[in-house]
Amino acid sequence: MKLDPRQYDAVAARAVCLVKPGEIEAALDQMAASVTERLAGKDPLVLCVMTGAVIVAGLLLPRLGFQLRVDYVHASRYQGATSGGEIAWSYRPSGAIRGEHVLVLDDVLDEGTTLRQIVEACRVDGAASIHTAVLIEKDRPHECEADVVGVVVPNRYLYGYGLDYKDYFRNAAGIYAVADEDV
């Protein structure tokens, strides 16, 4: 669903900033230290979960000062909607996984369904080890946990730093909670 400029501006005006850019930068530094501790020297394959984690990957990867390779996985439950459905695989690099130390990098841990299924796919595809990192974790029960978490926020509908609202606002500087009337 395409938002017209008035709708876009109205959603932005009603949203509340939960995490400011400086806090995200600090979280990314902490995430980089934790990922480095776990994976430096293992030549990991970093899987960016598209599309949300593209911004997280772009900000985190330059902070990792060790040998690594990057690929992506494209699996989504949202497809532009505000609630998740069945997982849809657009790209799964099955052959590239066997024997690799894998870091699955995603924007948000919400219910954990997508992350759990990606981790399971990596396991089935023969990964030597699987690690997970998310920029944002919602404070709620999850089907799985992430190994590395940047920031924990309340369980609200969010956008910014890769998280989207109806395919918009991924580029917002900050993590914003959408007003209840917009969900």
Side-chain angles (χ1 to χ4, degrees):
M1 174 187 137
K2 219 170 168 182
L3 296 179
D4 71 44
R6 288 186 322 272
Q7 291 171 309
Y8 182 95
D9 291 343
V11 169
R14 289 187 291 265
V16 175
C17 184
L18 299 178
V19 186
K20 293 181 166 84
E23 295 168 288
I24 294 292
E25 292 298 319
L28 288 162
D29 288 342
Q30 171 269 320
M31 289 175 70
S34 183
V35 168
T36 298
E37 183 179 312
R38 292 168 181 272
L39 292 170
K42 293 187 177 181
D43 188 18
L45 177 64
V46 178
L47 291 181
C48 175
V49 179
M50 298 301 282
T51 301
V54 72
I55 291 174
V56 178
L59 295 170
L60 182 64
L61 292 176
R63 288 171 158 90
L64 303 177
F66 57 87
Q67 178 178 327
L68 58 81
R69 288 154 296 128
V70 179
D71 203 339
Y72 73 98
V73 60
H74 197 166
S76 176
R77 294 181 53 235
Y78 293 89
Q79 292 93 41
T82 57
S83 62
E86 294 297 315
I87 193 164
W89 290 93
S90 297
Y91 177 70
R92 179 175 163 187
S94 303
I97 302 296
R98 183 158 311 284
E100 297 290 346
H101 297 284
V102 175
L103 172 63
V104 178
L105 182 58
D106 206 356
D107 57 351
V108 63
L109 180 60
D110 191 346
E111 294 174 4
T113 304
T114 302
L115 187 62
R116 180 185 53 77
Q117 289 187 22
I118 291 170
V119 166
E120 182 56 31
C122 290
R123 188 171 289 114
V124 166
D125 292 341
S129 67
I130 306 161
H131 306 266
T132 56
V134 297
L135 178 61
I136 303 296
E137 178 182 300
K138 289 186 180 180
D139 186 13
R140 60 167 295 165
H142 312 290
E143 290 184 22
C144 67
E145 298 299 323
D147 299 314
V148 177
V149 173
V151 179
V152 178
V153 299
N155 183 23
R156 303 271 309 271
Y157 193 92
L158 308 170
Y159 70 74
Y161 277 92
L163 289 79
D164 75 295
Y165 172 77
K166 298 183 179 181
D167 289 329
Y168 290 92
F169 296 106
R170 287 188 194 277
N171 59 320
I175 300 297
Y176 291 83
V178 175
D180 291 341
E181 67 191 84
D182 293 319
V183 174

